[in-house]
Amino acid sequence: MSERLFALADPVRLAVVGALAGGERCVCVLQEQVAVAPNLLSYHLRVLREAGLVCTTRRGRWVDYRLDPDGFATLWRALSGAGVPMPGEAVRSDRACASCDEGSAGR
Amino acid sequence: MSERLFALADPVRLAVVGALAGGERCVCVLQEQVAVAPNLLSYHLRVLREAGLVCTTRRGRWVDYRLDPDGFATLWRALSGAGVPMPGEAVRSDRACASCDEGSAGR
DNA sequence: TCGTGACTTCAACGAAAGTTGAACCAAGCA
DNA sequence: TGCTTGGTTCAACTTTCGTTGAAGTCACGA
């Protein structure tokens, strides 16, 4: 889960995901939308690929990238399971502190 | 947005968020739930604080931490706005590649 | 006011990540 | 077979992050 989040936590890779949100794209098009060196783009694509957030198809000379819906679904499910407040979820605000409550200005 | 994602993309900090999902907690309790050195915990809490994901209240000697609902709401909104497929959102799979479509095995 | 407890900050170190340039594959075409 | 194009991998470097130990701050109580 941390690996997937880490893959998203980068401006370049986030831009790639944003570009792929419009549909499948080959690397040459991604390169226009995300202005980075080809090899650097390839590096970031590999990070996203290894995190399971994108997948690829070779089409002759070209390689198409697209978002992996399962990767994102798994990420959100894991985050929610870990207690991270997802969209629409409330946040608990009550305090539980057994050791330091006694003898101090408790609520 | 990347800063907030980066703050979440760490096992220790994710564990802290998970612990805080149960409600407000002072550092001494967090230290029991997330077994790391006090100063290291303080470092990770600062990262979360500067990312706007948690906020604090001093209560005498103790400092209480709690999740910041606004921080998470902002994060999810920004992610959705950037095109990241959020829970329940579909993923487009059509391809748009003007330059490399001609003269190749197009779909 | 002195000591103690809870927590934070500082300086330093090792380990990763991001970036760059060059070399390298893989597919198509002459 | 050799050239070109699209894309990836490799090696080296710089920067940043995570961790550690020591010092510092803040609040309370004797």
Side-chain angles (χ1 to χ4, degrees):
Chain A
M1 164 167 47
S2 292
E3 191 191 1
R4 277 184 230 259
L5 272 178
F6 178 81
L8 274 184
D10 179 278
V12 172
R13 295 194 288 266
L14 212 45
V16 169
V17 170
L20 292 179
E24 200 174 29
R25 297 283 184 275
C26 76
V27 177
C28 57
V29 170
L30 286 176
Q31 214 159 327
E32 294 169 10
Q33 302 195 20
V34 184
V36 294
N39 50 352
L40 187 52
L41 178 60
S42 188
Y43 162 73
H44 285 297
L45 284 171
R46 183 163 60 126
V47 173
L48 287 170
R49 207 186 326 130
E50 288 176 350
L53 295 178
V54 305
C55 39
T56 66
T57 314
R58 178 169 275 278
R59 177 172 49 92
R61 264 190 262 215
W62 294 276
V63 176
D64 291 332
Y65 279 80
R66 60 185 182 285
L67 297 184
D68 185 343
D70 293 342
F72 284 92
T74 303
L75 173 59
W76 303 139
R77 213 177 312 120
L79 274 180
S80 183
V84 177
M86 299 305 289
E89 287 182 19
V91 171
R92 289 184 61 181
S93 60
D94 49 318
R95 182 161 55 81
C97 197
S99 57
C100 57
D101 264 352
E102 320 115 15
S104 78
R107 173 167 300 174
Chain B
M1 165 166 49
S2 291
E3 190 192 2
R4 278 184 230 258
L5 272 177
F6 177 81
L8 274 184
D10 179 277
V12 172
R13 295 195 288 267
L14 212 45
V16 169
V17 170
L20 291 179
E24 199 175 30
R25 297 282 184 277
C26 77
V27 178
C28 57
V29 170
L30 285 177
Q31 214 160 328
E32 294 168 9
Q33 302 195 19
V34 184
V36 293
N39 51 349
L40 187 52
L41 178 59
S42 188
Y43 162 74
H44 286 297
L45 284 171
R46 182 162 62 126
V47 173
L48 287 170
R49 206 186 326 133
E50 288 177 350
L53 295 178
V54 305
C55 39
T56 66
T57 313
R58 177 169 276 278
R59 177 173 49 93
R61 266 188 260 214
W62 294 276
V63 177
D64 290 331
Y65 278 80
R66 62 184 181 283
L67 297 184
D68 185 344
D70 293 343
F72 284 92
T74 304
L75 172 59
W76 303 139
R77 213 177 313 120
L79 274 179
S80 183
V84 177
M86 299 305 288
E89 288 182 19
V91 171
R92 289 184 60 180
S93 60
D94 49 318
R95 183 161 53 82
C97 196
S99 57
C100 56
D101 262 353
E102 320 115 14
S104 78
R107 172 164 303 177

